[in-house]
Amino acid sequence: MGSYDPEPQKLSIETPCIPSAALSRAAGCNIFLKLENLQPSGSFKSRGVGYMMYRAMLEKPGGNVHFYCSSGGNAGLACATAAATLSQPCTIVVPMTTAAHMIEKMQLLGAKVHQVGSHWAQADAHLREELLAHDPIGVYVPPFDHPHIWEGASRIVDELVYQIKPYNALQIDGIICNCGGGGLLNGIMEGVENNFKSADKKPKVLAVETVGADSLNASVKAGHLVTLPAITSIATSLGAPRVSERTFRWSREAPHLESLVVTDAEAVTGSVRFANDARMLVEVACGATIATVYNGDLRRVMGADGLSDEEWSRRNVVVIVCGGSNVTLELLRDYQEKYGVK
């Protein structure tokens, strides 16, 4: 294994960016879908987590590592996927509340999965104290708070710059993504800084959370980092009680960044309508992002209320379809019934 130097692009792919007639009609402007749901792990996490793991492996003598991750969600699945690609062992420690189908997905990829504790903090403590501390080649894989994770995610914007040009889109006016701990958002902001040097050319970035998982919005309102006492949203992939410090700094430094919160019902509506319009199944954390296209928030928050309908119709907005594997048809139907979504 010592001489193996895998190509980093095999850990993630350049995803398509396609126009959507259905979502454009709903929003009243040109909507482009950046399909991160097509990444090897099923979510954007493949970009940042995969790149971080690749860099960590190259830094180890002989390239031999054992990866450890305490996420029972998309970060854990991305870790298991990347470890399989890199032909390195991987151990995932998840709380007892983790869905069985997510554990099965990770085990299918060859990861060793331990279930410990009633919540993430207990699983993470067990991983660090009982496993990682005793493994000299162990590498901790955080779900979002690492510069290499942000760098990997920033390449989304690198791709967008040239992907929309064949559609006669002269510029990107807005980018919508969700925010859990901030890994994706940090990458998008970094990518915007790298690709748009002029302040008046920077696209507005809309960071979306759900009520009950809105740690960024709470921090923005308070003027300091806030730790939520509990996660009460069904969008558990957004359930970081506290965003990274870099995410909060972006909210203070970047006038082109806006924070927005939608309800769980709106997030479910986003996933359901997207399944009908785009024929793709995404979890409700991703549905929260998409909901802003359908509910009118996009036009309101993007500062376009002063534009005529004709002017707004020429704006180009990219929706980051982040994906996520914590979704099934049965689960989405249950949410539809619970929230009365048609």
Side-chain angles (χ1 to χ4, degrees):
M1 298 300 299
S3 62
Y4 180 54
D5 184 7
E7 299 178 29
Q9 60 265 34
K10 291 181 180 178
L11 297 166
S12 62
I13 65 170
E14 177 178 317
T15 56
C17 181
I18 60 173
S20 170
L23 273 75
S24 295
R25 181 176 63 247
C29 67
N30 301 315
I31 296 293
F32 295 86
L33 305 176
K34 183 60 169 160
L35 299 177
E36 290 297 295
N37 55 317
L38 301 182
Q39 289 291 352
S41 69
S43 83
F44 75 95
K45 292 284 188 181
S46 284
R47 287 188 186 265
V49 169
Y51 182 66
M52 178 264 163
M53 291 169 63
Y54 172 73
R55 290 284 298 265
M57 179 176 161
L58 294 185
E59 292 169 4
K60 287 284 187 178
N64 295 313
V65 297
H66 188 135
F67 294 110
Y68 291 87
C69 183
S70 57
S71 166
N74 295 309
L77 189 56
C79 179
T81 303
T85 302
L86 295 169
S87 300
Q88 299 292 331
C90 171
T91 297
I92 313 288
V93 181
V94 300
M96 299 302 294
T97 53
T98 303
H101 72 270
M102 292 297 287
I103 293 174
E104 290 169 5
K105 286 175 184 287
M106 291 183 278
Q107 290 175 329
L108 184 64
L109 290 160
K112 295 181 180 179
V113 181
H114 300 232
Q115 281 192 281
V116 177
S118 59
H119 52 75
W120 173 82
Q122 291 178 348
D124 188 64
H126 177 84
L127 180 148
R128 290 174 180 269
E129 297 166 10
E130 303 299 327
L131 302 175
L132 184 61
H134 305 290
D135 189 343
I137 63 169
V139 171
Y140 180 69
V141 180
F144 57 84
D145 199 358
H146 194 285
H148 290 162
I149 289 178
W150 313 333
E151 184 179 348
S154 74
R155 293 171 184 172
I156 293 174
V157 184
D158 298 344
E159 295 169 13
L160 289 177
V161 169
Y162 59 81
Q163 284 182 319
I164 69 164
K165 290 181 179 178
Y167 300 105
N168 296 318
L170 300 180
Q171 66 182 37
I172 301 172
D173 298 297
I175 300 174
I176 320 172
C177 69
N178 62 21
C179 180
L184 175 59
L185 178 58
N186 290 354
I188 294 297
M189 297 302 292
E190 187 174 306
V192 167
E193 289 301 306
N194 292 340
N195 288 280
F196 301 91
K197 300 302 182 182
S198 175
D200 63 338
K201 296 295 184 181
K202 285 183 171 64
K204 182 162 284 189
V205 178
L206 180 56
V208 185
E209 300 170 287
T210 50
V211 176
D214 48 348
S215 51
L216 173 60
N217 193 260
S219 299
V220 170
K221 289 180 177 178
H224 58 81
L225 269 171
V226 170
T227 300
L228 299 180
I231 300 298
T232 57
S233 171
I234 61 171
T236 54
S237 293
L238 302 182
R242 183 183 179 100
V243 295
S244 73
E245 291 185 8
R246 185 66 186 106
T247 308
F248 179 64
R249 288 206 311 273
W250 276 122
S251 74
R252 306 283 283 181
E253 298 169 0
H256 52 288
L257 172 60
E258 294 277 353
S259 168
L260 177 70
V261 178
V262 299
T263 65
D264 279 348
E266 288 176 307
V268 172
T269 300
S271 291
V272 171
R273 291 191 62 176
F274 191 69
N276 291 330
D277 287 340
R279 299 171 302 285
M280 295 181 186
L281 196 64
V282 296
E283 63 179 63
V284 291
C286 184
T289 306
I290 298 165
T292 63
V293 173
Y294 292 120
N295 68 8
D297 279 344
L298 173 61
R299 182 167 184 175
R300 176 179 60 81
V301 179
M302 285 290 182
D305 280 342
L307 299 179
S308 68
D309 289 347
E310 175 62 27
E311 290 170 324
W312 173 244
S313 71
R314 294 195 294 269
R315 294 297 176 96
N316 304 307
V317 178
V318 177
V319 177
I320 307 299
V321 183
C322 60
S325 296
N326 192 20
V327 61
T328 62
L329 282 171
E330 182 180 11
L331 181 61
L332 202 54
R333 288 194 189 103
D334 288 344
Y335 286 152
Q336 276 188 269
E337 184 175 344
K338 178 179 179 179
Y339 292 99
V341 174
K342 302 296 184 181

